[in-house]
Amino acid sequence: MQNDICLTRSVARALLAGTAFMALAVPALAAEVAPAEAAAPESASPESGGLSEIVVTATKRETNLQKTPISISVMDSKALTERHAQSLLDLGDGAIPGLRVATFEARQSALTIGIRGIVPLDANQPAREQGVGVYIDGVYLGRQQGLNAALMDIERIEVLKGPQGTLFGRNTEGGALSIVTKGPSGEFGFRGTAGIGNYGAYNADAHLDLPEFHNFSLKVDGVVQYRDPTVKNPLPGQTGWNYYDRRGVKATLRWQPSTDFTADYSYDNGYDANSPFYSQLVNYNPLNKPAGAIAPLPPIVVVGDKRMDVADIGVPQQPSVDKTFGHTLHLSWKVAPEVELRSITAYREVSVEQWDNSGGAHRVPVFAPNGNFSRYSLAGLWQHQFSQEFQAVGSTGNLDYVAGLYYFNEKASDDASTPSSNQWNADGTGYTILDPTPTIRGHRSIDRASTAWSKSYAAYGQLTYTPDLMGGITHLTVGGRYTHDNKHGELTTVNNAPTDFTFREKNDRFDPMVTLAVDATQDINLYAKFATGYRAGGASSRSLTYRSFGPEKVKSYEIGAKTELFDHMLRLNLAGYIMDRTGSQIDFSLVTPQPNGSTRNTLETINAPGTTKIRGVEAEATLSPMQGLTLNAAYAYTYTKIPPTLNPFSGVVQPVFIVFTPRNTASGAVDYSVPVGGVTARLHLDANYAQATQTFDQFAMKADSSFIVNGRLSLADISLANDSSKLTVSVWSRNLFNEAHIYRRDPSNQATLGDYANYNEPRTYGLEASIRF
């Protein structure tokens, strides 16, 4: 009922704002508006064999990628299809070297997303923030929960690298990941895909465009993605690990009474049932402690350096369930050739019921005769947010401008419980399953419960001046954003006892940006950029005292070159940057067994002293040497160094690290298409490498390097009943060579048992058919 009330209230706000805007707009409709989602794909030109233009909206206007003085990587719908990327986690293979995507802990229900060394370890708490902003059609997503929902009819994904504090605002100190979906076309069309794969996988999506009727156009998208676990659970009737069942639907209604005015209302609803990656013991007693100083290893527990297919211990495991939905209203009115007014009104909700029993006997609690074990991490998160943004975009004379006002209001709550689900017999040769009552909501012993509220107000502007001097080859861009943040929260439960810990934080922040760009030639564009950004502070709900911490602040200096050479056969983009960050938010955790047989994960976040140094170089190249052949390559080098920081548990100043940030990453891809007997044969191969990196702020130990190859072979443009109906049949594989690497390694239990770790997914493959008419 409470959610229904919140939904009604927020939708009413959205409709009121939209109605007011329309009332002002409709009487004076005047000029043509280009749809925001229009973009040319990254493909070879059929006429010349050269590269097509790529359109991006990183500056709140449609611009040519090569003329936009920002380091941006773009992945369009074709590239996502060729890689069989169904969710953001599928980009964790290194498809875009500067972008890092991983699970939080082992859980698919919350993603860690990083760019250029700005990677939060634990941003999944209500009072914690991300360092990279994630947007869908211009709407900021406040929580990392729900980000692994099925991708629905994506036009392109833009990865904006470096601080985006001016146009995108708070929590974009590392950059922004902007997802742009396809809107209604006003013409009848249908596209559908269905496929099957190993591990019992199947997927289907359908996209229906209806003809325009009395200025209204409707588009409906639906998607289903399913896969059985890749690691089996020996306990009958229980879910295994790395399973998912995703479903989603989206409907967009466009009203366009004139070429001057467009109103898009969309509703989306997503459901994601999933289970965590399996956490397995990869060594025993790595510190070589004497007998009696370390817990004994039960004879049925497997220690292995290979990815397991079947767990050694059967445990209760049910899927985590993420539910998301949202309403969005986009309004666009071209008042005059020099002015376009826009409004983006959005309300979103996310809820998560987390069930994570991925560790079995491979982590604390360790073996004790007749002792409890297998930490079942149960948690819930409930969030709703409302945002309103007004923009004015246009050009006059030698000036291009963007100005805007932004409002964001969020409430998020969570709770957590960690009972043990299994009990050993006396000698560790067997076990029983404990009474499940303590796992049921309402019967749980609550480790923590908290609620946080956040309001943010911002005003921003950006101006680009192109003087006539020397033929207009120089472009000076200046911008700034003022943000007022007001956050507060309360920790209401600690270790199943009521508490009254609170925190409050207010920040007033101004983020400037200056860019100087020079068109050295028609096809060589150089730029230098200074920008700042910040990540808001907060408090750790895993702390026993709700310890608060301050914001991170970053200054960035970047130079870059965007070039197209050899008659647009080769596109080569380069960027080098220096970032200095103060107040780095460092997570220290301590897992301790509790008298009731559960475990407690206490996490304190400390602002590191001094300046964190982040330095890097990025390169991307696309070559189309002949019609039908496209070669891609990318490389990113990232150096990071944080000053030593005081560990609040040990009282020792120690080295600390940035997680999920390899020093060297690289990727390459080949796409080749050729006509064969009236159809088109297509081949795609991509390879992605990442150097080993840390997965915890407080531990120097690294996980493994990775090398993942994906491939697809298709027969396309197969004519059906008439030439307007086309069929494509494909076979695909992800992790083609079944490479195994540890992407997350936890040494915190070395003194009591050993390291446990999570492996990447095994090889997956399947058959797919797509139709369009």
Side-chain angles (χ1 to χ4, degrees), residues 116-121 128-129 131 173 533-538 548-555 579-588 604-614 640-646 656-659 697:
R116 287 188 173 177
I118 308 293
V119 192
L121 175 61
R128 303 293 303 272
E129 306 291 345
E173 59 170 346
Y534 85 107
R535 175 186 176 200
S548 63
F549 49 87
E552 295 178 339
K553 303 173 184 179
V554 66
K555 294 181 179 179
M579 293 201 301
D580 291 329
R581 184 175 70 179
T582 56
S584 294
Q585 297 169 11
I586 307 301
D587 291 337
F588 294 91
E604 302 286 0
T605 301
I606 306 296
N607 291 106
T611 300
T612 296
K613 296 181 179 180
I614 305 175
T640 62
K641 181 67 175 179
I642 308 178
T645 304
L646 178 69
V656 290
F657 309 91
I658 291 178
V659 299
D697 296 12

Side-chain angles (χ1 to χ4, degrees), residues 180-516:
V180 181
T181 65
K182 298 177 182 177
S185 66
E187 300 178 356
F188 177 78
F190 176 83
R191 293 174 290 113
T193 299
I196 57 173
N198 60 335
Y199 295 105
Y202 59 83
N203 64 281
D205 60 74
H207 313 283
L208 176 64
D209 246 325
L210 296 178
E212 180 182 343
F213 180 74
H214 292 285
N215 301 322
F216 287 92
S217 304
L218 177 65
K219 181 172 181 285
V220 180
D221 305 301
V223 62
V224 173
Q225 301 167 358
Y226 176 88
R227 189 182 65 198
D228 287 333
T230 60
V231 178
K232 295 180 180 179
N233 190 340
L235 188 63
Q238 299 300 303
T239 303
W241 293 274
N242 196 20
Y243 147 96
Y244 60 74
D245 180 5
R246 308 182 189 122
R247 310 162 210 161
V249 63
K250 181 180 180 182
T252 302
L253 180 65
R254 171 169 293 171
W255 179 46
Q256 196 167 28
S258 163
T259 55
D260 310 339
F261 182 81
T262 302
D264 283 348
Y265 165 76
S266 64
Y267 169 78
D268 64 273
N269 194 309
Y271 173 91
D272 179 12
N274 59 78
S275 61
F277 284 67
Y278 188 60
S279 298
Q280 61 186 80
L281 194 65
V282 292
N283 56 37
Y284 173 65
N285 194 14
L287 302 180
N288 295 314
K289 302 183 75 172
I294 192 167
L297 185 70
I300 61 174
V301 174
V302 173
V303 180
D305 57 359
K306 295 183 179 179
R307 183 171 48 216
M308 296 175 69
D309 298 320
V310 181
D312 49 4
I313 303 291
V315 301
Q317 175 68 73
Q318 68 183 75
S320 300
V321 176
D322 305 350
K323 296 179 181 179
T324 61
F325 75 86
H327 303 264
T328 305
L329 181 62
H330 283 257
L331 304 175
S332 177
W333 171 33
K334 193 114 182 210
V335 181
E338 301 84 9
V339 183
E340 180 180 343
L341 300 180
R342 302 173 185 167
S343 170
I344 305 174
T345 308
Y347 173 81
R348 300 199 62 83
E349 283 192 15
V350 58
S351 66
V352 177
E353 285 287 350
Q354 171 198 298
W355 301 77
D356 178 0
N357 204 353
S358 60
H362 299 168
R363 57 184 298 182
V364 292
V366 296
F367 172 75
N370 302 310
N372 295 342
F373 73 102
S374 198
R375 180 179 188 265
Y376 207 173
S377 181
L378 314 172
L381 179 132
W382 306 269
Q383 181 254 16
H384 59 82
Q385 64 174 69
F386 174 81
S387 61
Q388 175 63 59
E389 185 167 7
F390 295 106
Q391 300 173 359
V393 181
S395 300
T396 175
N398 295 343
L399 297 176
D400 298 327
Y401 66 87
V402 177
L405 298 172
Y406 181 73
Y407 170 71
F408 178 80
N409 190 344
E410 175 191 32
K411 178 183 178 181
S413 303
D414 76 337
D415 66 16
S417 177
T418 51
S420 293
S421 64
N422 293 31
Q423 184 177 39
W424 289 112
N425 62 8
D427 58 6
T429 58
Y431 56 89
T432 56
I433 305 301
L434 293 169
D435 179 2
T437 301
T439 70
I440 301 172
R441 185 166 293 282
H443 297 271
R444 298 175 181 175
S445 176
I446 301 298
D447 292 349
R448 70 176 195 274
S450 70
T451 301
W453 294 263
S454 178
K455 288 186 179 181
S456 183
Y457 307 82
Y460 62 88
Q462 184 167 297
L463 185 70
T464 299
Y465 174 58
T466 302
D468 294 329
L469 183 67
M470 300 178 65
I473 66 171
T474 303
H475 316 278
L476 177 64
T477 301
V478 295
R481 186 185 190 108
Y482 166 78
T483 303
H484 173 74
D485 275 344
N486 189 341
K487 295 181 63 176
H488 67 282
E490 56 186 22
L491 183 65
T492 56
T493 304
V494 173
N495 294 339
N496 212 41
T499 65
D500 59 355
F501 294 110
T502 62
F503 91 95
R504 180 175 292 276
E505 178 180 295
K506 291 185 179 181
N507 283 302
D508 291 285
R509 172 77 181 176
F510 180 74
D511 285 299
M513 186 275 293
V514 179
T515 301
L516 178 63

Side-chain angles (χ1 to χ4, degrees), residues 646-675:
L646 178 69
N647 185 323
F649 299 111
S650 67
V652 174
V653 175
Q654 65 165 76
V656 290
F657 309 91
I658 291 178
V659 299
F660 298 115
T661 303
R663 183 69 57 90
N664 294 282
T665 58
S667 68
V670 56
D671 289 275
Y672 181 61
S673 62
V674 60

Side-chain angles (χ1 to χ4, degrees), residues 74-150:
V74 180
M75 184 162 286
D76 65 12
S77 58
K78 179 177 180 293
L80 292 169
T81 298
E82 298 291 6
R83 290 174 172 269
H84 198 70
Q86 299 184 108
S87 71
L88 287 181
L89 186 56
D90 288 335
L91 300 183
D93 59 10
I96 300 173
L99 174 70
R100 309 311 304 171
V101 182
T103 62
F104 170 69
E105 294 283 340
R107 301 159 194 158
Q108 298 185 62
S109 57
L111 297 186
T112 293
I113 297 178
I115 298 174
R116 287 188 173 177
I118 308 293
V119 192
L121 175 61
D122 183 4
N124 74 328
Q125 303 173 48
R128 303 293 303 272
E129 306 291 345
Q130 306 169 78
V132 172
V134 179
Y135 297 78
I136 294 183
D137 293 328
V139 177
Y140 174 68
L141 305 183
R143 297 293 103 202
Q144 67 182 136
Q145 284 87 352
L147 292 184
N148 202 37

Side-chain angles (χ1 to χ4, degrees), residues 66-69 473-475 515-521 523-529 559-563 574:
Q66 294 305 102
K67 306 292 185 180
T68 307
I473 66 171
T474 303
H475 316 278
T515 301
L516 178 63
V518 177
D519 303 327
T521 71
D523 297 319
I524 299 177
N525 306 95
L526 310 176
Y527 69 90
K529 178 183 177 183
I559 58 172
K562 296 192 170 185
T563 69
L574 304 170

